[in-house]
Amino acid sequence: MNPAQHTAAVAAEAAGFVATVKAADLSAPVPTCPGWTLADLTRHVGSVHRWFTELLRQRVQQPPTSRDVDLRLPKERAGLPDWLAVSAAEAAEVFAATDLDAPMWAWGVDQHARFWVRRMLFETLVHRADAELALGITPHIERPLAVDGVDEFLTNLPFASSFAPLTAQLRAPDRTIRFSCTDGDGDWLVGLRPDGFALIADDADDSGARAADAAVRGTAEDLLLLLYGRLDRRGDAFDLRGDQDLLTLWFTHSAF
């Protein structure tokens, strides 16, 4: 997916989120975000939109020293869905006015403005799924979007230790884990070293270009939700192979 597709998808995911929670009881718990209600979840997503939008407005070139931003939260909880819709609309305006290929500080690999649009997309998408799961709705994620989300997650996770400290413990003596889609293209090889971990360039095909120490296979949609901790790897949706202790290490320490 390209930046233009990401901007359109942010709007679509935000609209889907708003539609899901607008008629719901916002005091309902969100099991996939323990301790949160739908109100908390909505407030979080809108806050992320406003924070990322401010970073883009400022075209920050170094890590910000403050996360203060005018959230303009509604006085009543019932106003949160509409407030989120406004947050998304403001983000869309800033996207349209921004050169998304412009150099910009980001905590991940891609040091360009487009990083923040892509990150906002998957933050919104995963929490849209959280809202649906809380209401007993099975989430659906279009396959190209899910593939892009898996790639975005695995590409940036090695740089997330400042807010996901357990990732600093993803260390092993030169071990590999392969994540593969069962519903089409999509294959990622992660290498764990004594000093860290990262995606490894790999030309895997149906015959397997390189054997991995452990492997996880599932649809793109299920892999994305699994990586974000929204599905259990021991469920029927996944085919787990190889070193199960290595997989336990990964899933215990890769919480985002």
Side-chain angles (χ1 to χ4, degrees):
M1 295 180 66
N2 59 45
Q5 291 172 311
H6 289 151
T7 60
V10 170
E13 289 297 326
F17 188 109
V18 169
T20 298
V21 300
K22 197 168 180 64
D25 177 0
L26 294 179
S27 67
V30 182
T32 49
C33 297
W36 281 14
T37 64
L38 283 176
D40 297 322
L41 188 69
T42 307
R43 187 180 299 109
H44 170 76
V45 174
S47 298
V48 167
H49 279 222
R50 289 176 185 264
W51 169 236
F52 288 5
T53 297
E54 187 60 27
L55 293 178
L56 285 163
R57 281 197 185 102
Q58 296 180 21
R59 314 289 197 276
V60 296
Q61 299 300 319
Q62 56 187 348
T65 58
S66 171
R67 292 196 62 170
D68 290 341
V69 62
D70 183 6
L71 295 177
R72 304 194 300 280
L73 285 163
K75 293 181 180 180
E76 301 295 334
R77 184 172 61 187
L80 284 169
D82 289 337
W83 169 80
L84 172 57
V86 172
S87 300
E90 291 184 4
E93 291 177 0
V94 172
F95 295 166
T98 301
D99 176 4
L100 298 181
D101 292 327
M104 183 175 166
W105 173 81
W107 61 259
V109 174
D110 187 3
Q111 297 287 299
H112 295 86
R114 59 185 179 247
F115 169 90
W116 294 102
V117 181
R118 195 183 189 202
R119 181 85 288 278
M120 189 187 293
L121 166 58
F122 293 109
E123 183 81 7
T124 308
L125 182 154
V126 170
H127 288 315
R128 183 264 294 173
D130 287 328
E132 291 175 340
L133 290 167
L135 297 171
I137 302 167
T138 300
H140 174 64
I141 305 167
E142 295 292 336
R143 188 177 186 282
L145 195 55
V147 170
D148 194 59
V150 172
D151 186 79
E152 194 266 351
F153 181 93
L154 293 175
T155 296
N156 290 315
L157 189 65
F159 303 90
S161 60
S162 63
F163 55 87
L166 289 179
T167 60
Q169 299 178 44
L170 285 172
R171 309 284 187 267
D174 299 318
R175 307 286 281 171
T176 56
I177 304 173
R178 185 181 295 283
F179 296 92
S180 301
C181 294
T182 56
D183 57 344
D185 293 341
D187 190 280
W188 300 265
L189 187 67
V190 178
L192 282 73
R193 311 175 307 272
D195 63 343
F197 70 102
L199 275 176
I200 299 174
D202 184 59
D203 296 324
D205 56 25
D206 290 342
S207 62
R210 174 175 174 176
D213 297 296
V216 181
R217 292 171 52 80
T219 66
E221 178 180 58
D222 287 341
L223 283 178
L224 180 61
L225 293 175
L226 172 68
L227 288 169
Y228 276 97
R230 271 56 181 185
L231 292 178
D232 189 333
R233 72 182 186 277
R234 292 158 295 195
D236 293 340
F238 303 104
D239 176 14
L240 308 181
R241 302 180 184 184
D243 188 340
Q244 299 302 302
D245 289 338
L246 182 59
L247 292 179
T248 297
L249 172 70
W250 174 268
F251 287 107
T252 302
H253 296 88
S254 60
F256 195 95

